[in-house]
Amino acid sequence: MSKKRWVPEKGPVRTWRIGQIVQGVVLGVMLIFAGIGWVAHYGNVTAFKYQGF
Amino acid sequence: MNFQSAMQPKDDTLKPDAWSLRDHLLALWTGCTQPTRFSFLLMIVVLVSTTLLMVVGVTPRTLAGPLGDYVPRSAENDEAFATIQALRLADPQAPVGKAPRVYVIGNSRIAQTFASDEKLKHSLQTLTHRDWDVFFLTTGRQGALDETALAEFATKRQPGVVILSASFDRYEDDVAELMKYYRMARIGYRSDWADEQVRQILHTRPRSRTGIYLVDNRKFFLLNAGAASLRLVSQTPAERKIDAYIYKQNAHKLATYRATILKSLRINYIPKKLSVSILADTVRRLQERGNKVILFDVPVSSELVSSDADHKRYAIHLQGAAALSSRLGAYYCRPSDEAMPPPQAYRDYFHIADPAVQEQMRMLLAQCVENVSREKGRS
């Protein structure tokens, strides 16, 4: 398995770089959502619930 | 294994010149999963730039645009619908229409009674043979200060006929209750009128302001940002349902509910001074802008006020509401005693559920709007 393992020096570096960009963007956006969720949770933000009156 | 040895012809993966899907997939996979300095820096850049983009980009102006379509989380997210509607009406770039306008601002009972902006518009056109623009800014259990905030923004650019609630349930708020709903920040913008009422009538300090939308309206943002992002990406805005307040309730819940409403009637059949002061202030501000105000009293089921004592209290409320409307220079509108909805039109004594009765109420309101819009010199 280790023989077949891909390293940047062996293959299409541009495709690998695209993967890196995808990784950075996805993690960055996920951190944004996590931050919003964290602040909402610890800020005790809850939606108003209509109870019929 | 180094690069040179990897270039040996025996290994298929070691031929950079030969295009191979497998190599590309492996490269992509490794790029996506392998932490590097570059990906970490990019993550930080994305984090910071997206945060800055939100702080700078999410403003009343942008929410008043097409972006606002995606803010309501669901069909019943009335606070978000009312917020976006009010921001659009207050937007300096919004076109000023030629048709006269009707702004319906109120709680679940008002929303449930008139049910639909399109249907109310149709009733107005049928009765008056003129075109009208109708805007619903209704929210469930609407606080008086939220009502003020919505009235301020809705009529900022173009005056019209403003419908407010005259029902006894609007008078039950004391300072603590009013501030509780004010601090809930259910409406997603800050209102000068509401803040002045908090300062001058409630003698309390308003919520702080920084001038940055995201900070001043952080609760609204935190509640709606996630769903709005997904709705934006998937291009699926929620469709509003205005008459969304009828719930199936079992006998026990219905009895509890009935007791709650009757308690409200017994406490508030004579309006509270504080609530009257806020209502008077809002009506005055609206009139100064050239609006005409209708106070609409949604009738309750006759089954609710079946005892003599409650019936008398309700009669006192109706007389008082008419007198108050007159004092404020507003037009009082309610069905005549002969035209009161039958008990079966309600499902919970309080909200009108029957579509035929809703249509009657729309025609009644249309008549009131026509009457008030023809009057001169009196609101």
Side-chain angles (χ1 to χ4, degrees):
Chain A
M1 287 298 289
S2 60
K3 191 179 175 186
K4 299 288 183 188
R5 191 173 172 186
W6 187 92
V7 291
E9 291 83 354
K10 291 182 191 171
V13 174
R14 189 173 293 175
T15 309
W16 171 77
R17 184 65 78 188
I18 289 169
Q20 289 274 283
I21 292 168
V22 170
Q23 183 191 154
V25 171
V26 167
L27 287 178
V29 171
M30 278 172 67
L31 267 181
I32 290 279
F33 277 90
I36 289 172
W38 190 86
V39 176
H41 180 71
Y42 287 99
N44 203 20
V45 175
T46 49
F48 172 77
K49 190 172 184 304
Y50 180 71
Q51 295 177 326
F53 53 86
Chain B
M1 186 185 295
N2 58 32
F3 186 78
Q4 287 300 323
S5 60
M7 291 300 289
Q8 288 173 4
K10 282 182 180 177
D11 192 334
D12 291 344
T13 65
L14 308 180
K15 294 175 183 173
D17 295 334
W19 195 92
S20 157
L21 177 64
R22 185 173 170 279
D23 282 355
H24 279 276
L25 288 175
L26 273 173
L28 188 66
W29 174 253
T30 310
C32 285
T33 56
Q34 187 183 58
T36 62
R37 188 183 299 170
F38 173 77
S39 65
F40 182 76
L41 280 174
L42 188 62
M43 182 184 77
I44 300 296
V45 168
V46 168
L47 183 69
V48 172
S49 57
T50 311
T51 305
L52 286 176
L53 188 71
M54 284 195 292
V55 171
V56 176
V58 181
T59 64
R61 286 300 312 279
T62 52
L63 291 179
L67 194 67
D69 290 348
Y70 304 99
V71 172
R73 300 187 301 276
S74 71
E76 298 177 8
N77 186 195
D78 47 15
E79 297 109 337
F81 279 112
T83 295
I84 299 301
Q85 181 77 84
L87 289 174
R88 285 178 174 165
L89 289 167
D91 185 32
Q93 301 292 320
V96 177
K98 288 180 182 171
R101 289 186 166 184
V102 174
Y103 304 103
V104 183
I105 303 171
N107 59 14
S108 61
R109 299 186 63 211
I110 292 277
Q112 193 62 42
T113 302
F114 303 121
S116 155
D117 45 359
E118 283 303 314
K119 287 177 181 172
L120 180 57
K121 183 175 176 166
H122 179 73
S123 300
L124 282 160
Q125 286 172 339
T126 305
L127 191 86
T128 64
H129 307 291
R130 281 184 287 151
D131 196 20
W132 292 82
D133 286 332
V134 176
F135 303 96
F136 267 70
L137 299 109
T138 48
T139 58
R141 184 59 179 90
Q142 189 174 87
L145 295 163
D146 282 354
E147 178 187 78
T148 306
L150 292 167
E152 180 194 354
F153 271 56
T155 61
K156 211 168 218 175
R157 299 209 57 219
Q158 194 173 340
V161 180
V162 181
I163 319 299
L164 303 177
S165 171
S167 303
F168 58 83
D169 52 305
R170 71 163 298 134
Y171 301 117
E172 62 188 318
D173 301 318
D174 54 18
V175 175
E177 190 80 350
L178 285 162
M179 288 305 293
K180 184 179 95 177
Y181 283 94
Y182 171 77
R183 291 197 178 106
M184 278 184 186
R186 293 167 59 196
I187 302 300
Y189 57 80
R190 299 301 307 274
S191 158
D192 293 338
W193 287 9
D195 285 359
E196 281 171 29
Q197 288 180 348
V198 167
R199 200 178 294 114
Q200 292 169 6
I201 300 173
L202 304 184
H203 305 294
T204 309
R205 201 163 63 177
R207 284 156 48 207
S208 61
R209 280 200 210 195
T210 62
I212 301 169
Y213 178 84
L214 232 57
V215 178
D216 290 344
N217 302 281
R218 52 193 172 275
K219 188 185 166 190
F220 186 82
F221 174 78
L222 289 169
L223 276 177
N224 296 302
S229 308
L230 294 176
R231 286 196 174 278
L232 178 64
V233 170
S234 60
Q235 294 283 294
T236 51
E239 291 283 329
R240 186 179 189 184
K241 180 167 171 52
I242 291 171
D243 54 339
Y245 301 97
I246 290 295
Y247 298 96
K248 284 185 181 174
Q249 295 179 340
N250 60 36
H252 173 70
K253 276 189 178 174
L254 209 54
T256 310
Y257 186 55
R258 179 191 164 95
T260 305
I261 304 165
L262 277 177
K263 187 181 170 190
S264 172
L265 172 65
R266 288 165 190 166
I267 293 172
N268 303 300
Y269 69 99
I270 297 172
K272 296 278 184 295
K273 269 187 183 175
L274 194 67
S275 303
V276 170
S277 299
I278 290 180
L279 177 62
D281 187 71
T282 305
V283 170
R284 177 184 60 77
R285 289 172 188 271
L286 285 169
Q287 288 167 341
E288 283 173 359
R289 277 188 177 171
N291 295 283
K292 299 193 174 190
V293 180
I294 292 177
L295 294 180
F296 192 93
D297 211 333
V298 177
V300 296
S301 168
S302 56
E303 281 184 351
L304 181 75
V305 288
S306 51
S307 75
D308 283 348
D310 288 330
H311 192 76
K312 276 182 191 168
R313 287 189 188 103
Y314 190 57
I316 292 170
H317 156 71
L318 294 176
Q319 285 176 359
L324 177 63
S325 302
S326 176
R327 187 157 65 81
L328 300 181
Y331 190 94
Y332 182 61
C333 188
R334 77 170 181 93
S336 64
D337 291 341
E338 297 76 34
M340 293 292 264
Q344 58 269 27
Y346 302 82
R347 204 174 288 173
D348 59 4
Y349 309 107
F350 212 44
H351 295 90
I352 293 173
D354 186 339
V357 176
Q358 287 175 335
E359 178 56 25
Q360 286 173 20
M361 292 296 126
R362 283 193 292 269
M363 289 308 290
L364 169 67
L365 179 63
Q367 186 61 62
C368 292
V369 170
E370 175 69 347
N371 292 347
V372 79
S373 59
R374 287 190 181 282
E375 284 183 3
K376 287 182 181 173
R378 178 182 180 273
S379 192

